[in-house]
Amino acid sequence: MEKEVMLLTGAGQIGMAIGRRMGYGKKMILGDKKLENAQSAAKTMNEAGFDVIPLEMDLSSRASIMNLIKEAQKYGQITMLVNAAGVSPSQAPIETILKVDLYGTAVLLEEVGKIIAPGGVGVTISSQSGHRMKQLTPLEDELLACTPTEKLLELEILQPENIKDTLHAYQMAKRCNEKRVMAESVKWGEKGARLNSISPGIIVTPLAIDEFNGPRGDFYKNMFAKCPAGRPGTADEVANVAELLMSDKGAFITGADFLIDGGATASYFYGPLKLRK
């Protein structure tokens, strides 16, 4: 018997939290760069009553993304996408961040949008970082949103001489995610499907712990200490937002980005986290 299929990329805490919230009764195809991570997460989920198939998937590769979609289609119509794959500024060099977080996400949204079932819905995990960088020009935003995927990494603003460091690359990638979701949501809408993004702040995950212990660790610890919430968030709090966006209660929400950062961005612009000159 065919089931509705959820595509889930990234076997981390946030992806798993959303999968638990929205994946019951569905066939879940879980892709991760490290097969052992996908297998471990699938084992945990399956032992809790879910139906999860782990696969190796490299978000930076169109061929790998297409293979994931092809495998998922063997089980039924794809009705949900949760993209929680990616790398952080402390985990990878500039080139990898742009290839995975920027290009790979754009390809995934594009390709799933071609085959998403009517009534389907997608969520991609972006970041507060895209909200903290300086504003781009309207033309630059439009280029990030609409440039053909295979030409994205050729954009002038993404060339090595224009990217200061890995954090800047990450911010650009996440700004691109936000704009790409807006543009792709129009195409998804033609199929009767919806697409949104969520921009978490400091969420306690293994990736975040890498950041806490990395060169910007003190910066991140100071950020959640001085944000209005006074603490980091949890993956389940991100899943709360995803549940709204992916359920019928969010039926009028598409092409939007939801910032969930405990007020860190607000503090960065108008509070104690503001950089003083």
Side-chain angles (χ1 to χ4, degrees), residues 90-217:
S90 293
Q91 291 179 318
I94 290 171
E95 182 181 5
T96 301
I97 291 170
L98 294 177
K99 191 72 183 295
V100 175
D101 291 354
L102 191 149
Y103 166 80
T105 296
V107 171
L108 181 66
L109 300 183
E110 175 185 58
E111 294 298 342
V112 174
K114 293 175 182 177
I115 51 83
I116 190 74
V121 62
V123 164
T124 190
I125 302 302
S126 188
S127 169
Q128 65 174 356
S129 285
H131 292 262
R132 287 205 319 273
M133 65 181 290
K134 73 173 185 177
Q135 292 298 307
L136 300 178
T137 67
L139 176 58
E140 288 170 333
D141 277 337
E142 184 174 353
L143 288 172
L144 289 177
C146 300
T147 298
T149 46
E150 293 306 318
K151 297 288 187 180
L152 262 174
L153 296 179
E154 297 175 12
L155 290 177
E156 183 179 353
I157 56 173
L158 300 179
Q159 297 315 298
E161 63 270 19
N162 295 319
I163 300 292
K164 294 181 292 186
D165 52 27
T166 58
L167 177 59
H168 186 206
Y170 186 74
Q171 290 174 330
M172 289 295 294
K174 297 307 178 179
R175 178 64 64 83
C176 183
N177 293 170
E178 178 188 340
K179 299 303 178 183
R180 208 78 190 179
V181 161
M182 294 179 72
E184 288 294 335
S185 72
V186 178
K187 300 174 185 176
W188 282 48
E190 294 171 359
K191 291 182 171 290
R194 298 185 296 109
L195 176 65
N196 294 288
S197 59
I198 299 174
S199 289
I202 305 298
I203 306 296
V204 179
T205 66
L207 184 149
I209 291 170
D210 280 348
E211 291 298 319
F212 296 160
N213 295 323
R216 284 178 288 274

